[in-house]
Amino acid sequence: MERGSALIIEDVQNDFCPGWNLAVPDGDQVVPVLNRYSELFRMRGLPVYASRDWHPLNSCHFKAGGGAWPVHCVQGTDGARFHPGLRLPDGILIISKGMDPEKDGYSSFEAFMENGDDFQSSLRQRGVRHLYVGGLATDYCVKNTVLDALRRGFAVTLLIDAVRGVDLTPGDAETAIREMVEAGAQVSCLNRVVEEGVR
Ligand code: VGL
Ligand code: ZN
């Protein structure tokens, strides 16, 4: 990673973990790996963002509203909390998305900071040009965020050991990874990111 890099942890919330409303298979297994990544970025003084899916109870995103999903990550509920094992380092930048009841809002480029700034403005303010992306789920939030970032001219590294997919249809996560790579994403893992150091 170089100056201008940032880590974005996508939606590591209870409802996406085993036993909760929209469980991603092995979703909780990203937690210890992401803790290592965030420590690494924090030690190097690089920004760490955590996004959260943050829906109103009535949304076109949910089955009752015509969407694909069981109710999950409703604002203020336990299911919407970050996984209790996820360490949020000092200075963590939290962004929220999915608040518009008429949109799925998968991408973090549709997310806002607490002060109302959108994600891209926040990245620009911090001089971020390269995003390292991990979290849940590979085939939705991660994919949409990565593709949006590439379209907007950011370099993107997909942290392959820190993502898991919903796989609503088996193979969706693999297909999503292929799409991200074809669109220009690099793929890396913890050992390699550690060895890269800061260039
Ligand atoms: C997500 C399904 C529904 C995600 C959000 O964050 O990947 N997936 N809502
Ligand atoms: Zn959602």
Side-chain angles (χ1 to χ4, degrees):
M1 64 250 244
E2 65 280 9
R3 273 186 51 236
S5 298
L7 175 66
I8 167 91
I9 298 171
E10 300 285 354
D11 299 5
V12 179
Q13 293 163 276
N14 285 328
D15 271 338
F16 294 122
C17 292
W20 292 77
N21 287 359
L22 207 176
V24 174
D26 298 331
D28 55 341
Q29 290 185 17
V30 301
V31 170
V33 189
L34 284 167
N35 286 340
R36 302 275 312 276
Y37 282 114
S38 32
E39 181 63 13
L40 204 60
F41 278 72
R42 195 189 61 82
M43 280 179 352
R44 292 172 181 177
L46 298 169
V48 179
Y49 288 86
S51 75
R52 60 180 186 181
D53 212 27
W54 197 243
H55 299 301
L57 184 54
N58 293 305
S59 169
C60 74
H61 188 62
F62 297 146
K63 283 179 179 152
W69 306 109
V71 171
H72 63 274
C73 298
V74 172
Q75 296 165 9
T77 61
D78 284 344
R81 289 180 185 275
F82 289 112
H83 184 285
L86 186 69
R87 285 203 292 271
L88 302 173
D90 288 347
I92 185 93
L93 299 157
I94 292 176
I95 58 174
S96 305
K97 62 188 183 57
M99 291 84 81
D100 184 339
E102 316 217 314
K103 290 189 185 156
D104 286 306
Y106 293 125
S107 169
S108 282
F109 284 87
E110 298 174 60
F112 295 88
M113 315 262 303
E114 215 151 9
N115 70 5
D117 285 354
D118 63 72
F119 182 45
Q120 187 160 0
S121 309
S122 171
L123 294 173
R124 204 178 301 121
Q125 278 163 29
R126 291 179 171 75
V128 175
R129 294 177 306 274
H130 186 162
L131 283 176
Y132 287 71
V133 185
L136 308 171
T138 313
D139 32 1
Y140 291 93
C141 183
V142 170
K143 176 178 105 171
N144 283 275
T145 300
V146 165
L147 296 180
D148 273 353
L150 292 166
R151 280 185 207 114
R152 288 162 159 81
F154 292 89
V156 177
T157 299
L158 175 67
L159 302 172
I160 199 71
D161 49 359
V163 293
R164 292 292 185 282
V166 182
D167 270 342
L168 216 50
T169 305
D172 280 356
E174 280 307 316
T175 305
I177 292 167
R178 205 174 329 113
E179 283 177 57
M180 291 185 263
V181 168
E182 278 167 9
Q186 306 284 320
V187 173
S188 197
C189 59
L190 189 61
N191 290 345
R192 277 172 46 203
V193 174
V194 169
E195 280 165 14
E196 268 178 36
V198 180
R199 280 181 268 122

